[in-house]
Amino acid sequence: GDSMLETEDNGMIRLEDLKIGDKVNTGDSFETVYSFGHYSKTSNTEYLQLQASSGKSLTVSGMHMVFTENGAVPAERVLVGDKLVISNGSLEEVVGIKSVKSSGAYAPFTSNGK
């Protein structure tokens, strides 16, 4: 829920504030959120935090698909040393992976699947 994402109309917002109909940055375009696979502000969930060489991190479920230099893979298969594709299309090396617990579970769906 604390994760941030970029929307076309409201700039950077917290994931828990995302609504159906919002347009989100999917890396190469802004796409409309048409549904949620998960939307719970209260669930306590275990996530993986992928730490990038830039100092940024990505916190996702183990089954969340992430884009690497070798294509899309579940986050649980990412290893230290792998390179993630970030929103501007460049690559960032994974320098650390840890398990974290957090409240909330969200899985917005867009037409391009990103």
Side-chain angles (χ1 to χ4, degrees):
D2 292 334
S3 296
M4 302 293 289
L5 59 108
E6 183 182 12
T7 64
E8 187 173 56
D9 295 331
N10 298 309
M12 298 299 289
I13 66 168
R14 290 168 47 119
L15 185 54
E16 71 178 23
D17 296 327
L18 186 66
K19 298 182 286 309
I20 290 176
D22 286 345
K23 289 188 175 186
V24 297
N25 184 346
T26 62
D28 51 1
S29 63
F30 284 90
E31 298 291 331
T32 302
V33 174
Y34 68 85
S35 184
F36 284 89
H38 303 287
Y39 190 91
S40 171
K41 292 185 178 191
T42 58
S43 68
N44 286 318
T45 306
E46 192 165 313
Y47 295 98
L48 292 176
Q49 188 174 73
L50 308 177
Q51 299 158 340
S53 54
S54 67
K56 295 180 180 179
S57 65
L58 174 66
T59 304
V60 293
S61 72
M63 293 305 293
H64 189 94
M65 298 300 285
V66 296
F67 292 91
T68 71
E69 63 185 336
N70 298 314
V73 298
E76 66 186 12
R77 293 197 182 155
V78 173
L79 303 172
V80 169
D82 287 352
K83 292 190 171 88
L84 298 177
V85 179
I86 60 170
S87 61
N88 66 8
S90 65
L91 298 173
E92 287 202 19
E93 184 175 348
V94 176
V95 296
I97 301 171
K98 66 180 181 179
S99 179
V100 297
K101 283 203 170 198
S102 184
S103 294
Y106 307 90
F109 294 154
T110 61
S111 58
N112 70 0
K114 294 183 182 178

